Amino acid sequence: MERFAGLLQQLPRSKGELLRALHLAQEQLGWVSKDAIRLIGRHLRMTDAEVYGAATFYAEFRHSPPPKTLVTWCSGPSCRVVGGDRLRRILEVELGCQLGENGPDDEWGMWLGQCNGTCERAPMIWVNGRVVGPLTMVETVKLARRIRAGEDVVEWPQRPIKIAPATFVDAEAVYGGDEHGEGAG
Amino acid sequence: MARITIDGVSVDAPDRAPLVEVIKNAGFPISNLCYLDGLPAYAGCRTCAVEIEGMRGLPLSCTTQVTDGMVVRTDTPAVTEMRQEVLAVILSNHSDRCLTCHRVEHCRTGEICLRDNEVTHRCVTCSKNYRCELQTTCDAADVGRANVEPYIDEARSYYRHSQPEPDRANPFFEFDPQMCIICTRCVRACDDLRHTTAITLAGRGFTTRIAFGAGGQIDESNCDFCGACVDVCPTATLMEAPNKWVARPDKWVTTTCTECSMGCTIQLGVRDGRTVQVRPGNGNDVSRSQICVRGRFGYDQTRDKDRLRAASIGRGEDAFEQDGDAVASDAAAKLSAILAEHGPAAVGVLGSGQSTTEELYALRTLAQRIGVANLDSSLGSVTAAIGDALRAAFGSEHLPSRLTSVESAELIVAIGDDISASNNVLGVRIKDAVANNRASLVSISARRNPLADYAVDEAHAIQPSDGDLAGVAQALTVGLLRDMDIRAALSEVDGLPEVTAAPREGLEAALATLSRRRGGSVAVVVAPSRANAAQAAAQLCAAANLAVVLAGPEAAPAALHVLPPEANSVGLRDLGVAPGEGGLGVAEMLAAARAGTLKALLVARDNPMLLHPDQDATRAALEALDLLIVIDEVRSETVELATHVLPDISAFGKDGHITNADRQVLRLRSATTAQRNGRSLSDWLAALADGLPAVETTVPSEAEDGEPTVTPAPAMPQSEADARAAIAAADARYSALAAGATQARQPTNGAATQRLLGVEASGAAGEGLTLLTGRDLYTDRLSAARGEADADLLHRGESVQIHPADAAERAIEHGAGVTVSNGATELALRAEVTDEVPQGAIWLPILHNRAAAQRLLGAAATKVAVSRG
């Protein structure tokens, strides 16, 4: 926190620096805490509400501390076409927390991620920033249970990628969830 | 002007006016759920659509500007259908209990609901029922006939989502997000009308919601509970918590708030003789649609059960309740005896700036009748210091300045510890000038306040750690005069207090801004210290000097704005409730009482224990008196020391006038009934006067000294027309006085430097930390007077604020107990470690814990020792 406060002081005191300040908070603290919002507001001469409004507009700024094991669910179209929504539902059930939430004691949590172009591994998730995929449903259940058990899953065996022929999927399964997976799917 | 046709009726309207306002003002029903009069259109609700000839589709009337020859229709089938569809979308995620009840056709406002008790889905379970703008809009648009949400079936979309929890953590507002339709009126009111910006839109898309501060509870944000958002909320989302369910007033009475010297016009919603709701009223052209937390919620903190409900005789254990007339006649008899034995010099009278002008007139007349010259008020030395300084600077106390000019000023200097707390609405107007008018603001306040964020930059919020605001202002004056580097000015000019307590860069930055922008439209706003007369005098002199240098000698009187401490402080001065010839001031009276030469004191609604410095000495003085007659509303410490107590009624129950900081004479109208045995101060004074001997005195007339000191106390106006005439007459008098005052001080060119006043250093000297004190926004005056533990319902001002560096030096932790001592008196308090106070100073709200700070304060600014434990 002190390091963040120090770095914040180096930013010019203008409202235009708000996004840089928020990025700085997320980078240094892992999330945008209320204290960080207060410090940013004080430095940029904005109110807490102005900072909070901007921070909540962008989905990737986090408002709760990062968990020990962070599962990031990819919301990109490629993943969803090949069943990413089912991955999400399995993870929600198995981990016991909704998208954007942390599990008990911040041991694990699931956040929304945006496609970074590793679509050859769809459907995939990131575990602590590392791509894991393509995942079958059974593998997802196993993965989630190992996370729950507190095991290290960084060394998850990666399957070789098969380029499968295009398949038609049930439109309900793909588009049935809410936009960006907000609310109950 | 443009002539337009609305539904076949021809209406004149200013060119380019927003059409929706014109339609509303012309009396046509038009729904608009997001528009705020006077602010740019938001066009969020889309219910104000109309048909305009020659325009395609259904334009929104809020974004349409009036042009000549426009033909508008507000009630065609197409418009109605669009409105119904739009409302259906809004209602799809809103509770509909008031709309879909099968009995809704048969019910009238306020009727008892005849449905089964088990039915929770009833209109009466919403506190805004029959007061709700959304409900009215839906009724007017006849949504129910359109077979749309929520009327189609039982499976309404509102019930498919779980709803967020309401925020009921604070005593003033209730925030129930499930009722919200995201019209953003509150966001814009908080931002554009108040410049508080405590409310924001959080998230985006369908999950957008209203949030306070950093997304927590309202009381954790920087919300100052002014209630502007409550006023504009079209649904039950934001509600006043007090009297939420009963606030369906029988009548609305327009009166004047007496919480500070702004005199905001307020409307009291009265039900069964008691106030249940307060709204801003139109009348005061400075406050307009704004009031503050004290004006809006102060009424609820003192109820009839908390007021004095019986007259009594005797002190402490010996006190017993008596019939009011008996107490009055006994008091008068004792007072007569003292007058006969010791003469009028042994009797003192204290009035209050909280009284109406009529009451003060009665009090002064009573004092004259019995020949008593010892007449003053507890804040008399402060108000006298203000008056004397103004006389010295401009030859008169009557300045031609109008507070309405503050919001259009280009350069503003605000001198005073937290003007946003002492005179909240003027703080809003200063922010208005900065936000809407690009004014440059220099804030001189020892404690960081909400205006600091509106100063040109951080350096322009100057916080002198010794509390010597006057020294800073004077330093700026001299720097400007010499037109040279402030460092040189500081060292070269004689009689200049050495400014060491304020950061150099702040002074230099402020000086650069002031010298760049001087000469334009300038406003110097000063809220003098209420605790220390010497500081008040110095601040006034310094502010007057600064006004002369910035605006030029001719325009200076119109550029200086003084905010006296109490609602009717100006009226009190005008009426001459001040020591007469050879009479004693309040400090001398208390000293004489301790010495035993003053035997009797009549205290009319005043409270020296709360308002006069050195509380222990005040207590000793009041205890030494043979006779202490107190007429007051609540059981204050002064009342507890009294020998005779007479219960006064609330300011909301009185008719009369006050003169506010702007020299406007404002009307108080009786709205509430008196508490048991309560009578107005004037009645008690009349009862006392009956039993007192009259002494032949000459009443000072206006002709005698040229400077009229007497506002004619008008006979109680019997009708609205009388009152208006009285106000108009008083206004005319003040205009004439102000004009005369301006002429009287037309100076010659180049004389400006000679007319500048010397300013004594008024900062605290010696070892220790400077004790800063002043009025905070949340502590209720009457609750503090009667020693209520919850005088500050938000508990924001209950601790002593100390700078982190000072705290670290003394090993004081946030929330820990501290002892504050001035050598003689010690206070145990709780510490709040914050950088809102400068290093080297502590802040303690003056009214906290029955004005405990007054026990530490002496005649001069005070340094105190602060230690852990």
Side-chain angles (χ1 to χ4, degrees), chain B residues 657 717 719-732:
Chain B
H657 296 84
S719 69
E720 192 65 26
D722 279 359
R724 281 185 195 288
I727 292 171
D731 258 354

Side-chain angles (χ1 to χ4, degrees), chain A residues 4 7 15 18 24 30 50 68 79 85-87 91 97-98 105 111 118 121 137 140-141 169 175-176 182:
Chain A
F4 164 67
L7 289 170
K15 285 190 183 183
L18 175 57
L24 190 67
E50 285 174 294
K68 218 165 106 188
C79 285
D85 285 318
R86 268 179 280 167
L87 236 65
L91 288 169
C97 62
Q98 298 291 304
D105 298 331
W111 300 84
T118 50
R121 296 209 166 265
M137 305 306 129
T140 313
V141 173
V169 290
Y175 298 112
E182 304 278 339

Side-chain angles (χ1 to χ4, degrees), chain B residues 773-788:
Chain B
T773 183
R775 186 80 163 90
D776 71 312
L777 185 57
Y778 304 100
T779 308
D780 179 56
R781 179 172 46 85
L782 289 171
S783 309
R786 58 172 211 272
E788 182 69 43

Side-chain angles (χ1 to χ4, degrees), chain B residues 445-572:
Chain B
S445 163
R447 182 173 170 245
R448 190 183 167 84
N449 63 37
L451 290 180
D453 283 333
Y454 282 77
V456 179
D457 59 28
E458 281 298 305
H460 286 71
I462 305 174
Q463 294 180 262
S465 62
D466 62 351
D468 190 4
L469 312 182
V472 173
Q474 184 78 344
L476 293 173
T477 305
V478 177
L480 283 165
L481 268 182
R482 292 295 169 100
D483 200 22
M484 58 166 73
D485 187 47
I486 192 153
R487 232 172 273 119
L490 286 174
S491 55
E492 281 179 18
V493 177
D494 294 337
L496 177 74
E498 200 176 332
V499 179
T500 51
R504 267 265 134 72
E505 57 268 33
L507 291 176
E508 283 168 16
L511 188 63
T513 304
L514 293 180
S515 72
R516 199 171 63 247
R517 301 208 64 168
R518 69 202 274 192
S521 61
V522 176
V524 178
V525 183
V526 54
S529 160
R530 58 172 57 229
N532 186 316
Q535 267 186 353
Q539 284 161 6
L540 249 292
C541 291
N545 290 348
L546 203 51
V548 169
V549 176
L550 288 175
E554 284 162 40
L560 180 64
H561 306 273
V562 184
L563 303 170
E566 286 183 297
N568 200 17
S569 286
V570 176
L572 183 111

Side-chain angles (χ1 to χ4, degrees), chain A residues 13 42 45 47 49 52 56-57, chain B residues 197 203-204 209 452 455 458:
Chain A
R13 304 191 76 163
R42 189 72 186 274
R45 305 183 89 207
T47 63
Y52 180 74
T56 50
F57 183 83
Chain B
T197 323
R204 61 181 164 162
R209 65 199 186 276
E458 281 298 305

Side-chain angles (χ1 to χ4, degrees), chain B residues 194-269:
Chain B
R194 297 291 305 195
H195 310 291
T196 309
T197 323
I199 316 181
T200 186
L201 281 176
R204 61 181 164 162
F206 188 72
T207 53
T208 306
R209 65 199 186 276
I210 299 292
F212 281 77
Q217 290 168 350
I218 302 179
D219 49 326
E220 294 166 355
S221 73
N222 64 325
C223 171
D224 64 3
F225 296 92
C226 69
C229 54
V230 175
D231 280 340
V232 297
C233 183
T235 67
T237 313
L238 280 158
M239 295 289 287
E240 291 119 330
N243 301 311
K244 174 179 163 181
W245 292 99
V246 299
R248 207 175 289 140
D250 301 333
K251 59 174 179 180
W252 287 93
V253 181
T254 305
T255 181
T256 303
C257 175
T258 55
E259 290 293 329
C260 77
S261 52
M262 293 305 292
C264 301
T265 305
I266 50 174
Q267 295 182 64
L268 301 181

Side-chain angles (χ1 to χ4, degrees), chain B residues 326-342:
Chain B
V327 175
S329 64
D330 184 61
K334 294 228 165 72
L335 190 56
S336 304
I338 289 174
L339 279 168
E341 193 180 336
H342 301 282

Side-chain angles (χ1 to χ4, degrees), chain B residues 766-852:
Chain B
E767 291 291 303
L769 302 178
T770 311
L771 175 62
L772 304 171
T773 183
R775 186 80 163 90
D776 71 312
L777 185 57
Y778 304 100
T779 308
D780 179 56
R781 179 172 46 85
L782 289 171
S783 309
R786 58 172 211 272
E788 182 69 43
D790 273 343
D792 173 8
L793 283 174
L794 284 172
H795 309 288
R796 281 189 181 178
E798 291 185 346
S799 40
V800 49
Q801 291 187 337
I802 183 165
H803 189 269
D806 292 328
E809 200 179 300
R810 290 162 177 78
I812 294 169
E813 279 158 25
H814 190 81
V818 287
T819 310
V820 183
S821 157
N822 67 351
T825 311
E826 281 192 357
L827 285 186
L829 294 152
R830 209 158 37 84
E832 182 192 344
V833 179
T834 167
D835 54 359
E836 286 190 4
V837 287
Q839 196 176 348
I842 59 164
W843 160 269
L844 179 58
I846 195 153
L847 290 183
H848 170 54
N849 191 12
R850 286 198 159 181

